Amino acid sequence: MALKIALAGNPNCGKTTLFNDLTGSTQYVGNWPGVTVEKKEGRLIGHRDVIIQDLPGIYSLSPYTLEEVVSRNYLVNEKPDVILNIVDGTNIERNLYLTTQLVEIGIPVVIAFNMMDLVRKSGDQIDTKKLGKELGCETIEISALHSDNTKKAAELAIEQATKKKGELPHVFTGSVEHAIAHIEESIETLVPAEQLRWYAVKLFERDSKATEQLKLSADTKAHIEQHIADCEKEMDDDAESIITNQRYTCIQKLVADTVSKKHTSEQMTTSDKIDRIVTNRILALPIFAVIMWAVYFISVTTLGSWLTDWTNDVLFGTWITNGATAGLTALGASDAVISLLVDGIIGGVGTVLGFVPQMILLFLCLSILEDSGYMARVAFIMDRIFRRFGLSGKSFIPMLVGTGCGVPAIMASRTIENEKDRRMTILLSTFLPCGAKMEIVAMMTMVCFPGSMFVAPAMYFLGLGIVVFSGIALKKTKYFSGDPAPFVMELPAYHIPTVKGVLIHVWERAKAFMIKAGTIIFTMCIVIWFLMHFGPTGFLPDDIDASFLRYIGEGLSWIFKPLGFGTWQGAVASVSAEVAKEQATATLGMLAHAASDDETDVAAAINTMFGGSKLIGMSFLLFNIFDAPCMVAIATAFREQASRKWGWITFGYQMMVGYCLSLCVYQIGAWVSGSFTFGTVVAIALILAACYFVFRPNPYAKKRTEYRREAERA
Ligand code: GDP
Ligand code: MG
């Protein structure tokens, strides 16, 4: 039997960093709370029989949030052999609150004081030995980020796994201990001896999950309730608060005895100084706007596009295309095979891969921002905006994750306890363009707006705008109305990102991107090549106009007529993009290769498909960026909404936004250049309707204040 070590600790204390260090895996390390929502398993390097379990970060073992439930069920029901409790050394007081609960579960606990590099730098002193003694567990000082002492921590955990547990710390006062002792007595026969304390404390707190689990008889229940009530009367407080307060009091005393801070809390740290500017009420948003603009400007417009031009025109456009054609001809391959490989695979997959340099740069910039701690501030800044219309900043974290990929973004919505807010976050979390959508942005910028400084950043801010205005409008509907949940976010100290950390991040994302190109996109390109080169009359080497693809496109093009790109090419590209967003670029790339003999000027060929019109190009871009995400993300949304109805609402809302936005931009644009049609009327009506839903007075606001008044009276 393998030995199991569970990593438990507060959010953002470095669990995943340690997990990656110990197991050699490359799980997502985010410098903000709420990244690991599922538990992850790995094997300790050098010890194949030791399994390490990364758990979601939690502040306590009360079952209020999904992370707490996941971690607690694992610890209590699956009983790992030992808990390696990671404590953020820069924030001991808050972290130990969880520790006092972990030691009650009945599993040996080893405390790893992490971030010791920061603690040492600040000059603070922690007597970890003494702390361990008081808490009844072994301790070790580590720095997960610098792999300092991490192996030893794992070895210490292995060694402790088989040892008997140390003495429990004296957390509670006499009368509480008295009640707990009585509860222990009455459930002695129901639970294993080592879990007795845990269950007794939980029953004392009237924890519903523990009560259910033990299936107590009515008699026992009444007996226990009597002891709790007596204690509550004596302490003049409710049981749950008694336990919480006493844990904090105990920790305060412990910390006073063992930690000496060099700086008093009145002195400002460097992070505080930076935050004074970066999260300043007036400056925060302009700073954020400039930073994000710079990110997209560098990665998509300037540096990135020079690299991409080279990969597209020289590498794929000339070298590989010519090389492959020459090679295949020399081998005596038939025209069909050459066409499949050159127009199909190189034209399709090659176009997608051609944008990889831009994606890598984008991921690099975002990783640096995230790892330095800035993105956590963004969530904090957005909280101030979101809060105004009733959503908490917690909802913004999934959206930040979504700039990489929509699937983990939707998963990250799990951390939101309130069901309404969670549903709304799933619905909105894919509006900030993901990496694959940025590929379409990069291509359309190249095709219609070469060198533009604003198109790429504009898509990001437009996504943000859609989120904010959708949030405002949705919060005024009956279902979503309600006050925002409180959002407490620990702002991690700024640090210079490590090269290793950032590179792992970028590599993981770029790898996923390339794997997708080699699998889904590859398959799709073959399918599209066949549809493009076969028709009712059989194989068509050179006549796309008689192909199945064209018939399919024509059949669908009416849908996109009001958006301006109602050609069969536009329809085929948009529909194929639902498989994976970057397929839009692959499909357009293939069509361009087939349409033009000059392989180096794909951009011009695509531009012709959109009638050389910037307006139509923009409309195509807007629709494909802001409609529903790819099918994998849609499926994830259905699963996470856990309701077919809500899955369809999510999908329908996203499609509606993409379609209407694109329609309005195209029709108003056409109107400006002198063409007033029925479409213009529809666009104006849509804009007025959107304004109405966003700016109307909240019909449920009055009720809410009434509730509040009632609550105050009570
Ligand atoms: P988790 O939420 O507990 O899984 O925490 P993560 O592993 O995602 O780490 C949160 C942040 O803390 C990341 O930015 C890490 O780079 C950083 N971090 C983790 N361990 C250390 C450490 O020992 N020293 C320093 N300075 N930073 C660390
Ligand atoms: Mg984590």
Side-chain angles (χ1 to χ4, degrees), residues 15-17 28-30 35-36 54-55 57:
K15 292 176 301 302
T16 306
T17 312
Y28 193 90
V29 177
V35 169
T36 314
D54 189 17
L55 294 174

Side-chain angles (χ1 to χ4, degrees), residues 12-17 29-31 114-115 117-118 143-145 371:
N12 224 26
C13 69
K15 292 176 301 302
T16 306
T17 312
V29 177
N31 197 355
N114 190 28
M115 316 247 180
D117 54 318
L118 297 178
S143 169
L145 191 64
D371 205 22

Side-chain angles (χ1 to χ4, degrees), residues 109-126:
V109 176
V110 170
I111 307 179
F113 289 91
N114 190 28
M115 316 247 180
M116 285 311 286
D117 54 318
L118 297 178
V119 174
R120 287 186 196 118
K121 217 161 91 192
S122 71
D124 294 354
Q125 301 274 343
I126 307 172

Side-chain angles (χ1 to χ4, degrees), residues 433-645:
C434 67
K437 286 177 178 172
M438 280 323 287
E439 170 123 337
I440 312 181
V441 177
M443 168 177 257
M444 292 313 290
T445 307
M446 183 178 91
V447 168
C448 294
F449 312 92
S452 162
M453 296 161 67
F454 296 106
V455 173
M459 292 305 133
Y460 180 84
F461 291 112
L462 197 55
L464 202 56
I466 292 177
V467 169
V468 170
F469 287 112
S470 295
I472 295 174
L474 291 172
K475 269 286 175 182
K476 288 180 186 173
T477 59
K478 182 152 180 239
Y479 179 81
F480 287 112
S481 66
D483 284 328
F487 175 59
V488 204
M489 180 162 176
E490 211 68 49
L491 290 181
Y494 285 103
H495 69 163
I496 310 262
T498 57
V499 176
K500 188 178 144 211
V502 169
L503 286 186
I504 288 182
H505 232 137
V506 173
W507 170 239
E508 281 303 305
R509 284 182 173 181
K511 195 173 75 183
F513 199 80
M514 287 188 274
I515 289 176
K516 217 159 100 194
T519 51
I520 303 179
I521 307 286
F522 182 82
T523 315
M524 272 299 284
C525 286
I526 293 179
V527 171
I528 290 180
W529 182 86
F530 271 97
L531 291 172
M532 203 158 111
H533 288 278
F534 284 85
T537 54
F539 180 57
L540 314 156
D542 268 324
D543 187 12
I544 291 193
D545 285 345
S547 69
F548 286 124
L549 194 67
R550 181 177 161 212
Y551 288 115
I552 297 172
E554 295 285 3
L556 295 167
S557 61
W558 59 271
I559 302 174
F560 305 100
K561 282 250 153 62
L563 313 186
F565 54 95
T567 57
W568 68 269
Q569 292 98 329
V572 167
S574 301
V575 172
S576 66
E578 279 312 299
V579 175
K581 283 288 164 179
E582 57 273 58
Q583 183 63 44
T585 54
T587 305
L588 288 178
M590 290 172 70
L591 290 168
H593 271 249
S596 108
D597 289 333
D598 179 8
E599 308 286 2
T600 57
D601 216 352
V602 174
I606 297 173
N607 200 8
T608 325
M609 276 179 235
F610 293 108
S613 155
K614 284 190 175 21
L615 181 61
I616 295 177
M618 177 52 81
S619 172
F620 174 81
L621 178 58
L622 290 174
F623 176 74
N624 280 289
I625 300 293
F626 297 113
D627 71 338
C630 67
M631 64 183 189
V632 185
I634 294 173
T636 312
F638 267 85
R639 206 183 59 220
E640 294 296 316
Q641 292 282 24
S643 137
R644 193 162 300 175
K645 180 182 123 195

